[in-house]
Amino acid sequence: MDAKTPAESRTILTDLVLPSETNPLNNLFGGELLARMDRAASIAARRHSRRIVVTASVNHVAFNKAVPLGSVVTVEAAVSRAFKSSMEIFIDVWVEDRESGQRSKANEAIYTFVAVDETGAPIKVPPLEPETDLEKERFAAALRRKQLSLVLAGKLKPNEATELKALFD
């Protein structure tokens, strides 16, 4: 199975924040943003694996900046690491200033997807080959996050989490 790059999975969704998608403060509902991120991440995972994909977990979400009514929101997702059948997807959310058109980062998230066959059984995905410095940084950090998750779930002994141990040596 040939390796793929994060660029091959990159997905960009741009949309407007409408009144029905806002809270009483006229900012985008967090749940609406989560759904947009899930859709973008799903497309990125499918592009990487060329398989049916399902959301396995939402590992991290940072709502750093409110997204006001009428804003143009861009959700950018790309595979940051591929494991056996799972893929970590890193998502950046950008808000465009209405007057200047300048973009600023509003939020970010990390989702995990699993590729499955027609029966729902996990299936192998291609490896990922990061190219840019940011892609390489996210690639390395993904293994640490996976090991931490496995340790916390009791599926990996702490002394076997080599990437985590390296942080403290």
Side-chain angles (χ1 to χ4, degrees):
M1 196 174 285
D2 293 336
K4 293 186 174 183
T5 66
E8 292 176 87
S9 69
R10 188 156 332 282
T11 300
I12 301 171
L13 300 179
T14 301
D15 204 357
L16 190 64
V17 177
L18 301 173
S20 64
E21 301 165 331
T22 62
N23 62 26
L25 296 173
N26 284 324
N27 293 317
L28 183 65
F29 279 120
E32 174 64 29
L33 182 57
L34 289 170
R36 291 180 187 199
M37 291 188 292
D38 194 42
R39 283 191 292 275
S42 174
I43 294 167
R46 185 162 186 130
R47 285 178 173 167
H48 181 81
S49 66
R50 291 293 167 204
R51 298 289 182 176
I52 298 167
V53 295
V54 295
T55 309
S57 66
V58 176
N59 307 331
H60 167 78
V61 178
F63 295 107
N64 297 322
K65 184 177 176 183
V67 181
L69 173 66
S71 295
V72 173
V73 179
T74 300
V75 178
E76 296 181 2
V79 175
S80 50
R81 182 107 187 204
F83 296 98
K84 185 178 174 184
S85 62
S86 67
M87 295 156 281
E88 182 188 270
I89 316 298
F90 205 102
I91 304 155
D92 295 303
V93 179
W94 302 88
V95 176
E96 191 175 305
D97 183 82
R98 287 178 233 161
E99 294 177 17
S100 71
Q102 253 189 334
R103 290 180 358 143
S104 61
K105 188 167 178 180
N107 303 292
E108 66 181 25
I110 301 169
Y111 283 43
T112 299
F113 277 76
V114 173
V116 296
D117 64 17
E118 292 74 19
T119 67
I123 191 165
K124 191 173 180 178
V125 299
L128 187 77
E129 217 169 79
E131 297 177 306
T132 69
D133 288 343
L134 179 60
E135 290 168 355
K136 290 173 184 175
E137 179 184 312
R138 288 178 174 180
F139 181 87
L143 181 56
R144 293 189 294 272
R145 283 189 288 273
K146 181 171 177 116
Q147 286 186 354
L148 178 60
S149 176
L150 291 171
V151 167
L152 293 174
K155 296 178 180 179
L156 181 69
K157 294 177 184 169
N159 64 334
E160 295 172 350
T162 55
E163 293 298 311
L164 292 176
K165 284 174 53 177
L167 292 174
F168 301 101
D169 288 340

